[in-house]
Amino acid sequence: MAEADRDVQKCFEVALELVNQAGKIISDRNDSRKSFVCKGGDIDLVTETDKEVEQLLINGLKNIFPSHQFIGEEESADGVTAKLTDAPTWIIDPVDGTMNFVHGFPHSCISIGLVIDKVTEIGIVYNPMLKQKFTAIRGKGAFYNDKPINVSGEKDPKKALVTTEFGTTRDPAKLKVVMENFAKMAALVHGLRTLGSAAMNMVMVALGAADCNYEFGIHAWDVAAGDLIVREAGGVVIDPAGGEFDMMSRRVLAASSMELAQEISKNLTQFYPQPRDD
Ligand code: IPD
């Protein structure tokens, strides 16, 4: 593989240009109700825009980096997620928060991460409706619309604003855990929010606007970019049971401090999704 294929700065610039183009497609279409088809179940949605944006991003990146690999949400819609290897791999959610996009609720984003040798080098999360662009390159800090950002540093659950999601399934066993955790968090933390986009939830922790985010059932494309952005903003990303984060495990907990992460983790009922079971 040519050295240029691992030039992270060049990768970042190419990805950012494509994300700007793709963002225009999404924001131009946000203001109306969209037709959709259901993927895994009746609340796991995909629109023509998800597919078009994913193709724009993948084709654009392939053109410049022909040897790179891709793990894309819509490419994986047949239930098969490509394995993460050491090759430079772009992990892409073309529209994270598809339910919001379908309704014109302006909290959706493009989420794109670049992983090389299984280490995340680039994270970009862009909500084009609200012009919120979050970026990070490993070791170079995190940025919101080009300004450096930091997590809040909050350690106390009682003062923490926490985000989570209902997820994209009505499976009773999963919903039972979700509701149990809602009840536990409502009693423990300062406030509880669901934005409807896993990636947006994570970057709110990076921005210091929220202090913690957890979810069971996410996919690598929902969290690859957010993970790096949170860590580059000084936060921590762990497994919700307290161990090391694995972006392929479908479980995530991001927080403004390790103390807060561990305290929230201790209070959560755990759920272990199957690899392709939402
Ligand atoms: C979903 C959203 C949702 C979260 C799910 C994600 P999608 O992504 O982020 O808020 O609860 O876990 O899969 O399907 O809108 O790209």
Side-chain angles (χ1 to χ4, degrees), residues 62-131:
K62 262 188 191 157
N63 247 337
I64 312 281
F65 308 111
S67 67
H68 286 192
Q69 304 295 304
F70 296 87
I71 297 180
E73 174 169 24
E74 306 320 329
E75 288 225 320
S76 311
D78 57 0
V80 181
T81 304
K83 285 248 172 321
L84 182 62
T85 66
D86 286 344
T89 303
W90 294 92
I91 303 190
I92 299 174
D93 192 340
V95 182
D96 182 54
T98 303
M99 176 70 84
N100 284 347
F101 179 63
V102 161
H103 289 264
F105 189 79
H107 288 279
S108 312
C109 61
I110 299 164
S111 170
I112 172 163
L114 174 65
V115 180
I116 305 179
D117 294 327
K118 301 202 178 73
V119 174
T120 308
E121 299 287 351
I122 291 172
I124 301 172
V125 171
Y126 180 39
N127 173 344
M129 277 67 70
L130 301 183
K131 307 265 178 284

Side-chain angles (χ1 to χ4, degrees), residues 242-253:
E244 210 174 297
F245 170 64
D246 168 4
M247 77 166 79
M248 305 307 276
S249 71
R250 309 199 53 205
R251 297 160 47 85
V252 70
L253 193 162

Side-chain angles (χ1 to χ4, degrees), residues 44 73 93 95-98 165 167-168 196-198 215 217-219 222:
D44 189 7
E73 174 169 24
D93 192 340
V95 182
D96 182 54
T98 303
E165 292 295 325
T168 52
S197 154
E215 190 174 346
I218 44 76
H219 295 278
D222 299 313

Side-chain angles (χ1 to χ4, degrees), residues 34 69 123 137 155 160 172 182 188 191 249:
K34 263 71 72 191
Q69 304 295 304
I137 296 178
K155 297 183 174 133
F182 266 107
L188 180 71
S249 71

Side-chain angles (χ1 to χ4, degrees), residues 23-31:
K24 181 142 180 30
I25 297 177
I26 296 171
S27 58
D28 282 353
R29 295 179 190 171
N30 189 59
D31 287 347

Side-chain angles (χ1 to χ4, degrees), residues 96-268:
D96 182 54
T98 303
M99 176 70 84
N100 284 347
F101 179 63
V102 161
H103 289 264
F105 189 79
H107 288 279
S108 312
C109 61
I110 299 164
S111 170
I112 172 163
L114 174 65
V115 180
I116 305 179
D117 294 327
K118 301 202 178 73
V119 174
T120 308
E121 299 287 351
I122 291 172
I124 301 172
V125 171
Y126 180 39
N127 173 344
M129 277 67 70
L130 301 183
K131 307 265 178 284
Q132 297 173 311
K133 191 174 285 160
F134 296 84
T135 56
I137 296 178
R138 183 169 65 92
K140 297 195 171 165
F143 296 83
Y144 171 52
N145 292 344
D146 299 326
K147 295 199 180 83
I149 52 172
N150 290 106
V151 295
S152 67
E154 185 57 63
K155 297 183 174 133
D156 181 357
K158 287 191 184 59
K159 294 187 189 147
L161 190 62
V162 176
T163 60
T164 189
E165 292 295 325
F166 290 95
T168 52
T169 175
R170 297 190 208 268
D171 167 49
K174 164 79 188 304
L175 275 185
K176 183 168 175 285
V177 174
V178 168
M179 301 314 284
E180 222 169 278
N181 284 330
F182 266 107
K184 287 182 181 178
M185 289 300 123
L188 180 71
V189 305
H190 208 184
L192 193 55
R193 302 284 182 270
T194 75
L195 284 180
S197 154
M200 289 309 298
N201 285 337
M202 289 187 82
V203 295
M204 286 301 130
V205 175
L207 187 60
D211 304 296
C212 180
N213 164 248
Y214 70 87
E215 190 174 346
F216 303 105
I218 44 76
H219 295 278
W221 46 80
D222 299 313
V223 295
D227 162 45
L228 182 67
I229 296 168
V230 168
R231 288 185 291 110
E232 286 295 325
V236 298
V237 181
I238 62 170
D239 179 83
E244 210 174 297
F245 170 64
D246 168 4
M247 77 166 79
M248 305 307 276
S249 71
R250 309 199 53 205
R251 297 160 47 85
V252 70
L253 193 162
S256 52
S257 66
M258 188 52 94
E259 290 89 339
L260 181 63
Q262 295 296 349
E263 207 45 50
I264 298 289
S265 156
K266 266 190 348 214
N267 283 280
L268 288 174

